[in-house]
Amino acid sequence: KTTNSLLSSGEMALEGRVDVEALRTLHTTAMKEFDLPQRTQDEVMCLLDECEDMLNGVRLIQELSPKSLDQLVSYGERCSVRIMAARLNQIGVPAQAFDAWDVGVFTDENYGDAKLLPTTIDSIRDKFMSRIDPNVVAVVTGFIGHNRKNKITTLGRGGSDLTATAIGAALKVDEIQVWKDVDGILTADPRLVENAVPVSHVSYDEASELAYFGAQVLHPIAMQPALKADIPVRVKNSYNPSAPGTVIDKVGNPDRMVTAITCKKKITLMDIHSLQMLGAYGFLGAVFGDFEKHKLSVDVLASSEVSISVTLDKKQPEADIELLCEDLKQIAEVELHTGRAILTLIADVGRSSDVLATVFRSFSAHGIKVEMMSQGASKVNISFIVKEDQIDDAILKLHQCFFEDRCDVGMIESGSLIV
């Protein structure tokens, strides 16, 4: 909410209006509600005054650069940690607020999507050992840091989670907890599948694939520090704290056939076909050289001697795709199919024969046509490309088979049909 308000304030400043009263009211109301100390109120108001001064600068020069935008959105986190630390002290929990750079979070110069420096884990450890009382709860800003020039940067998608896992890895904690608005990682999107249930354990690989293919829980980059330090991450629900959540670790639950179902919509399927390249080396290199030239990446790929099928998501600019097609037509025939979706099963690929047999029995019975399939590169996912108007039905039917014990076509297990 606060970040969105700050972004809106930046847009208003570009239009010649500066108004931070909504932000002042939001923070003042919270501080008065808990009767926080005057010192905390003064610190928060000082930050909001600084924010207002910055917006006036944006109004005057009519420019909001990525560097300025990172500073602008930082004010929400910086105000919040001061309020939280004051409240913890008020209820008898010794706490102190810190901006991330004060505990060693340093990044590169890429404003808006900065990466942690390789030395950050060590610098966090050094700061905690030398400056922070171990008997005090450190309340640290998420998703922001300082670059080498001591300018504020933001860590991009999953930034707050990345801050948490970096600190946890540096301090070698027993467990890192990330609090969301769902009961951990679910077997499917609960907005579509009413009977979706939490998954108790998943591996880092499974969680990364889930996140990449659409599950909005934990970004793969955010898990890297925990993975390297071999520290489990528990995803909990802020609105249901008694729920055990999902533990992400190196092992997961190897006994499951399927862990979860996820999808990406608004996908474009590109078929690249060239008989003239039959038996010729360099076809793949030529194709992906063109992809690199236009800075386009693919989600899913399948290939044969003379053809390649790839998927492009909605983030890829249409103009760049058109230019890519023009280049590819020098060596191949190219067809684009819009309105597609990727359905991904996070599954035990070692049992893929049973998984695929059940999937195709269900798809055949319900008229769901698979236009492309990919399995093998990852040991935990099997992906299918279907028309977008069939994706919801496909997910619902497969969820019934793998998680609800009511598969209308029967399950295949160890090669046998179980009805």
Side-chain angles (χ1 to χ4, degrees):
K1 184 176 181 180
T2 304
T3 300
N4 289 336
S5 294
L6 287 163
L7 291 170
S8 296
S9 297
E11 292 172 3
M12 288 172 56
L14 288 171
E15 296 169 359
R17 296 175 294 141
V18 172
D19 184 0
V20 296
E21 286 312 305
L23 288 165
R24 290 188 191 279
T25 300
L26 179 68
H27 291 86
T28 300
T29 301
M31 291 186 290
K32 287 185 176 179
E33 174 74 20
F34 295 114
D35 192 24
L36 296 183
Q38 187 62 45
R39 184 180 68 180
T40 301
Q41 296 186 45
D42 291 344
E43 287 179 4
V44 171
M45 287 301 111
C46 182
L47 283 170
L48 292 176
D49 287 343
E50 182 183 309
C51 176
E52 186 174 23
D53 289 343
M54 181 194 166
L55 288 169
N56 273 310
V58 171
R59 176 180 61 83
L60 289 169
I61 66 173
Q62 286 295 287
E63 182 182 341
L64 186 57
S65 66
K67 175 182 173 183
S68 298
L69 190 60
D70 277 7
Q71 180 173 336
L72 176 61
V73 297
S74 77
Y75 288 109
E77 288 278 320
R78 294 159 71 192
C79 290
S80 294
V81 296
R82 286 156 175 81
I83 292 172
M84 175 61 77
R87 177 60 179 158
L88 287 172
N89 280 306
Q90 197 177 55
I91 63 175
V93 179
Q96 184 176 351
F98 293 93
D99 292 322
W101 45 88
D102 290 329
V103 299
V105 178
F106 297 105
T107 76
D108 61 20
E109 318 290 321
N110 189 19
Y111 295 106
D113 192 21
K115 302 294 185 290
L116 295 179
L117 295 179
T119 56
T120 290
I121 299 298
D122 289 337
S123 65
I124 291 172
R125 186 181 300 116
D126 292 343
K127 292 285 186 182
F128 268 86
M129 291 183 65
S130 63
R131 290 192 51 188
I132 298 173
D133 185 342
N135 298 310
V136 170
V137 174
V139 185
V140 183
T141 55
F143 123 95
I144 59 176
H146 261 182
N147 62 22
R148 295 179 181 89
K149 298 176 183 177
N150 290 327
K151 301 300 181 183
I152 296 173
T153 56
T154 60
L155 297 172
R157 187 181 169 198
S160 291
D161 299 336
L162 177 57
T163 305
T165 57
I167 293 173
L171 302 183
K172 295 185 168 70
V173 299
D174 295 329
E175 179 181 276
I176 298 163
Q177 291 189 356
V178 177
W179 291 75
K180 301 290 184 179
D181 57 1
V182 292
D183 291 338
I185 294 174
L186 304 182
T187 52
D189 187 339
R191 294 170 296 184
L192 171 63
V193 183
E194 185 178 336
N195 295 322
V197 295
V199 181
S200 61
H201 282 79
V202 301
S203 68
Y204 290 115
D205 287 343
E206 289 174 324
S208 294
E209 294 286 348
L210 273 167
Y212 184 80
F213 285 103
Q216 303 294 316
V217 178
L218 203 61
H219 194 275
I221 292 174
M223 286 182 278
Q224 289 305 308
L227 172 60
K228 290 178 181 177
D230 195 15
I231 296 173
V233 178
R234 186 182 296 270
V235 182
K236 297 270 288 178
N237 188 349
S238 302
Y239 301 101
N240 184 19
S242 62
T246 298
V247 174
I248 305 169
D249 57 24
K250 283 189 173 178
V251 180
N253 182 352
D255 296 329
R256 282 189 305 255
M257 182 186 296
V258 175
T259 298
I261 306 171
T262 187
C263 73
K264 286 181 86 170
K265 296 182 178 180
K266 301 187 185 307
I267 294 297
T268 296
L269 173 63
M270 177 183 288
D271 291 327
I272 306 163
H273 184 78
S274 178
L275 282 176
Q276 66 181 349
M277 297 301 292
L278 180 62
Y281 66 87
F283 180 43
L284 285 173
V287 168
F288 288 105
D290 285 336
F291 273 86
E292 182 181 12
K293 172 183 173 182
H294 295 285
K295 294 181 170 55
L296 292 171
S297 59
V298 303
D299 289 320
V300 178
L301 177 149
S303 68
S304 70
E305 274 286 306
V306 295
S307 64
I308 304 170
S309 294
V310 300
T311 61
L312 303 162
D313 70 21
K314 60 186 177 182
K315 297 176 188 174
Q316 315 283 13
E318 286 187 22
D320 290 345
I321 294 175
E322 290 175 6
L323 290 171
L324 169 65
C325 289
E326 290 301 316
D327 284 349
L328 289 173
K329 285 176 182 177
Q330 305 300 314
I331 58 171
E333 296 176 4
V334 181
E335 292 184 17
L336 291 178
H337 308 276
T338 58
R340 296 324 191 245
I342 304 171
L343 186 157
T344 298
L345 295 180
I346 305 303
D348 178 1
V349 174
R351 300 169 69 184
S352 62
S353 295
D354 288 347
V355 173
L356 290 171
T358 301
V359 168
F360 282 112
R361 284 176 64 87
S362 179
F363 284 177
S364 178
H366 299 103
I368 296 166
K369 180 184 176 183
V370 176
E371 299 186 13
M372 173 182 159
M373 189 191 111
S374 180
Q375 176 205 336
S378 166
K379 301 306 178 188
V380 297
N381 101 47
I382 306 171
S383 292
F384 308 87
I385 312 305
V386 301
K387 289 183 177 177
E388 191 167 332
D389 59 9
Q390 294 186 310
I391 187 70
D392 289 355
D393 191 39
I395 291 172
L396 289 166
K397 296 302 182 185
L398 293 184
H399 196 274
Q400 290 172 3
C401 287
F402 292 116
F403 301 106
E404 300 179 39
D405 293 326
R406 53 191 188 103
C407 189
D408 58 0
V409 297
M411 289 277 293
I412 303 295
E413 292 191 20
S414 301
S416 300
L417 176 61
I418 300 174
V419 180

